[in-house]
């Protein structure tokens, strides 16, 4: 149930919602049982769509705080960052809203990166995946991850990667991601936090 | 020996070369022996600078082909991608040139990503690190990686990460990167290649 009633030029979305239409769900049909898609997410009160500039009011940051440190962010700061990301054109922040009470209950971000390698190709990354923990058992994690994964494919990216903690490996394996032998290390350097 | 003689507005650079001045080398002094920096790279014929639009002629893509698949890229395609990346403002592609024969001999890219988490913070990534294999033993790998790492810090990023193959783990450990226990997995999904 994507927001197809919005025009392409609706600048309230962080990216064009038309991109979420007709994703190649047939290629991952065996990974979701019962079968749901971003356009038919299982309940008629779930709406899968790009992040919108008024989602500050819909608990988006509260949802992200289930994932990691968010810190104090004013509405103005949120909107300023939203507009920067919208302008950049490489942030496909995708959410699920429970329209019964206008709350954002899941989110995942596809971020794309321009390359010279791979024939001036584009790499995709999966970032900041979170599902409200009161909505377990509805396959919303699978739904949001597969939605942005299929979007990465649709955008023509040559690969999509993610970093994750050990307990999440089986989940991502079930969706087609692999730990490539000898090439599956994430290393990190944390600078002093500004928070 | 950074190209400080260029004005800030010299659009031949993919980012402002002034950013490479006065990086905090004192914080990593013990990691490089003998001590070299991007401004004093050990030989007066090494120049550390941002990628330039005419580096197509200086063997930049040939260098990248030591790293991974590059494919056929025309000068026009290279310049078009360069300009897209320059405009985006988040691609800090940094190279070392051997000015004796105008060849690019090392490269590393710092790519930054805007976030809502971490108080609308910015994450840094280290990408596409490569040193011409005829220039071993001059610490150019350390030099190029530390240069972009210190740049990530200077830009105010809250963390910097990289993906790497197993044999490179000791190298990156020696530069301050860590495999965080339980949180060091890169997972990958490769879409059909267009090459």
């Amino acid at each position: 149930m994507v927001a197809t009633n919005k025009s392409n030029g609706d600048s309230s979305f962080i990216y064009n919602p038309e991109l979420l239409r007709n994703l190649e769900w047939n290629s991952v049909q065996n990974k979701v049982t019962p079968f749901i898609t971003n356009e038919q997410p299982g309940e008629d009160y779930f709406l899968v769509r790009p992040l919108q500039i008024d989602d500050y009011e819909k608990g988006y940051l509260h949802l992200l705080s289930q994932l990691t440190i968010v810190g104090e962010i004013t509405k103005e700061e949120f909107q300023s960052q939203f507009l920067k990301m919208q302008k950049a054109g490489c942030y496909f922040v995708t959410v699920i809203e429970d329209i019964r009470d206008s709350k954002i209950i899941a989110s995942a971000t596809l971020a794309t990166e321009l390359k010279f390698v791979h024939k001036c190709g584009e790499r995709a990354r999966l970032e900041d995946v979170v599902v409200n923990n009161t909505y377990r058992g509805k396959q919303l994690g699978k739904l949001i991850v597969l939605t942005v994964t299929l979007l990465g494919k649709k955008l023509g990216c040559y690969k999509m990667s993610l970093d994750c903690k050990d307990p999440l490996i089986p989940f991502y394996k079930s969706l087609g991601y692999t730990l490539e032998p000898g090439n599956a290390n994430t290393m990190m350097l944390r600078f002093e936090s500004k928070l």
Side-chain angles (χ1 to χ4, degrees), chain A:
Chain A
M1 198 209 259
V2 68
T4 51
N5 56 328
K6 303 285 184 177
S7 73
N8 286 3
D10 183 339
S11 65
S12 79
F13 290 106
I14 201 162
Y15 67 92
N16 186 342
E18 293 293 315
L19 287 172
L20 290 176
R21 294 190 71 177
N22 301 317
L23 296 176
E24 276 188 41
W25 281 96
N26 60 333
S27 67
V28 294
Q29 200 156 4
N30 61 339
K31 301 188 194 306
V32 192
T33 310
F35 189 55
I36 55 175
T37 74
N38 62 303
E39 298 191 72
Q40 299 193 318
E43 305 285 0
D44 59 10
Y45 48 84
F46 290 152
L47 175 65
V48 185
R49 60 167 172 80
L51 185 72
Q52 287 184 284
I53 196 159
D54 61 358
D55 284 338
Y56 185 86
E57 313 288 0
K58 294 187 175 181
Y60 178 61
L61 296 180
H62 182 71
L63 176 70
L64 285 185
S65 71
Q66 293 189 18
L67 179 68
T68 186
I69 301 164
V70 175
E72 287 296 316
I73 300 175
T74 66
K75 185 173 172 180
E76 290 67 32
E77 287 167 338
F78 172 81
Q79 292 184 342
S80 167
Q81 190 78 337
F82 179 99
L83 292 171
K84 271 192 217 172
M85 292 164 79
Q86 185 188 55
K87 187 177 173 196
C90 58
Y91 298 100
F92 299 85
V93 187
T94 306
V95 300
I96 305 176
E97 177 180 351
D98 184 335
I99 60 175
R100 293 173 302 181
D101 56 1
S102 300
K103 287 287 174 207
I104 306 300
I105 57 168
S107 181
T109 295
L110 159 67
T112 60
E113 182 192 334
L114 299 174
K115 293 286 195 184
F116 289 109
V117 299
H118 287 265
K119 207 163 165 44
C120 294
E122 205 155 347
R123 176 177 179 170
R125 285 204 176 76
L126 178 63
E127 289 288 315
D128 301 329
V129 177
V130 57
V131 178
N132 183 314
N133 51 26
T134 66
Y135 284 82
R136 302 267 160 145
K138 292 180 176 293
Q139 301 191 102
L140 297 184
K142 284 187 181 184
L143 177 61
I144 196 74
V145 169
L146 286 174
T147 296
V148 295
T149 301
L150 293 171
L151 180 56
K153 187 177 181 182
K154 183 177 186 172
L155 293 172
C157 297
Y158 65 94
K159 71 179 180 183
M160 185 148 171
S161 63
L162 62 90
D163 304 334
C164 74
K165 295 184 179 174
D166 294 350
L168 284 166
I169 291 173
F171 170 71
Y172 287 115
K173 273 191 179 164
S174 78
L175 301 181
Y177 289 85
T178 61
L179 289 166
E180 297 188 343
N183 189 23
N185 309 294
T186 296
M187 299 186 75
M188 195 72 77
L189 196 162
R190 294 184 187 269
F191 302 120
E192 282 169 33
S193 175
K194 295 175 298 178
L195 296 181

